[in-house]
């Protein structure tokens, strides 16, 4: 199955999961039009402007991976620990765990997000 960039769906969310500012996502399919029978709930190239964040939230029914491609972020894990993340870093949030991400740099924070479950 191939999803062409020209067909991507762009979604802008304000204060995502209780965070600050906006998050923009370019997705090969929207949540209500995902391919039948797939475990993938969401795939997207996400962008957080300087100072924006995705608030801490728990994944009760699924898992999520972030792969950072540009910028600097502060990632918060379920246990409250935080770590600075940057290009090439990846994070994983398992079912029942939570996470959050904030742009702490001076440029856009760009990452790929994949939710499976």
């Amino acid at each position: 199955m191939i999803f062409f960039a020209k067909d991507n769906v762009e979604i802008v969310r304000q204060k995502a999961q209780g965070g600050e500012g906006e998050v923009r996502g370019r997705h090969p399919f929207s949540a209500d039009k995902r391919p039948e029978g797939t475990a993938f709930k969401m795939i997207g190239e996400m962008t957080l402007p300087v100072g924006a964040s995705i608030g801490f939230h728990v994944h009760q029914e699924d898992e999520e991976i972030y792969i950072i491609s540009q910028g600097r972020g502060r990632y918060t894990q379920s246990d409250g620990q935080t770590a600075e993340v940057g290009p090439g870093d990846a994070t994983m949030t398992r079912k029942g765990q939570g996470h959050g991400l904030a742009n702490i740099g001076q440029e856009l924070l760009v990452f790929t997000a994949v939710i499976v479950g």
Side-chain angles (χ1 to χ4, degrees):
M1 185 173 287
I2 299 172
F3 299 96
F4 294 100
K6 67 179 180 59
D7 299 322
N8 280 354
V9 177
E10 184 159 339
I11 298 172
V12 179
R13 293 180 58 196
Q14 299 295 326
K15 299 184 181 261
Q17 303 291 346
E20 295 296 323
E22 70 178 24
V23 59
R24 291 182 171 270
R26 292 183 339 146
H27 306 274
F29 54 83
S30 58
D32 61 333
K33 293 190 177 161
R34 68 183 185 153
E36 188 174 330
T38 185
F40 292 98
K41 291 184 172 182
M42 190 275 293
I43 301 168
E45 179 182 60
M46 313 302 289
T47 304
L48 279 174
V50 174
S53 63
I54 298 171
F56 185 87
H57 59 285
V58 176
H59 285 262
Q60 297 293 350
E61 302 296 326
D62 48 38
E63 301 185 9
E64 186 167 23
I65 292 176
Y66 292 161
I67 303 168
I68 312 298
S69 54
Q70 176 185 321
R72 307 292 319 160
R74 182 183 326 100
Y75 182 78
T76 303
Q77 303 183 110
S78 276
D79 61 6
Q81 290 187 339
T82 63
E84 187 172 318
V85 293
D89 293 336
T91 67
M92 180 185 290
T93 303
R94 303 294 307 267
K95 184 176 179 179
Q97 295 179 335
H99 65 150
L101 182 64
N103 183 343
I104 60 170
Q106 298 302 310
E107 64 178 322
L108 291 175
L109 177 60
V110 180
F111 58 100
T112 299
V114 179
I115 299 178
V116 179

